[in-house]
Amino acid sequence: QVQLVESGGGLVQAGGSLRLSCTASGNIFSIDAMGWYRQAPGKQRELVAAIISGGTTNYADSVKGRFTISRDNAKNTVYLQMNSLKPEDTAVYYCNVHGRRWITYAALDAWGQGTLVTVSS
């Protein structure tokens, strides 16, 4: 099995910053892509940012220029630096990993437990 552990959420005032992290461990052969999703009450889960093995990144229009995704391949860890936070960013943030499982080489699609980000105004 694979475990994704997230951390870094919390309560901040508008204009502040937070840094989320997600570390994958367990039955992993390789990781091809990592990303962050978020879901606010009454809203659908949406992709916030993603990064693939080659380093290419993609961001939702609502966070471009404010959020930065990065990774540490040696640690199987992905980060999301969030600056200039707005109340609209309030949501539960979920880490997602795509790759291959060890031994079976089956496709891997794993999710973290979620971490709450609350931005007050």
Side-chain angles (χ1 to χ4, degrees), residues 39-81:
Q39 187 166 23
K43 301 291 185 179
Q44 293 184 345
R45 186 173 299 187
E46 64 174 346
L47 176 66
V48 178
I51 185 167
I52 63 175
S53 296
T56 301
T57 59
N58 190 37
Y59 298 91
D61 289 340
S62 60
V63 306
K64 282 183 178 178
R66 300 188 297 120
F67 291 10
T68 302
I69 188 170
S70 61
R71 71 184 191 278
D72 185 334
N73 292 331
K75 297 181 179 180
N76 285 343
T77 298
V78 63
Y79 305 93
L80 185 67
Q81 179 66 46

Side-chain angles (χ1 to χ4, degrees), residues 64-110:
K64 282 183 178 178
R66 300 188 297 120
F67 291 10
T68 302
I69 188 170
S70 61
R71 71 184 191 278
D72 185 334
N73 292 331
K75 297 181 179 180
N76 285 343
T77 298
V78 63
Y79 305 93
L80 185 67
Q81 179 66 46
M82 304 184 294
N83 298 326
S84 302
L85 283 162
K86 304 175 181 180
E88 307 93 271
D89 296 317
T90 296
V92 177
Y93 285 70
Y94 297 91
C95 176
N96 174 247
V97 172
H98 285 191
R100 301 183 72 187
R101 298 182 183 274
W102 182 246
I103 301 297
T104 67
Y105 303 100
L108 169 64
D109 184 4

Side-chain angles (χ1 to χ4, degrees), residues 3 20 33 38 53 99 102 108 116:
Q3 301 84 39
L20 307 183
R38 68 185 181 187
S53 296
W102 182 246
L108 169 64
L116 178 62

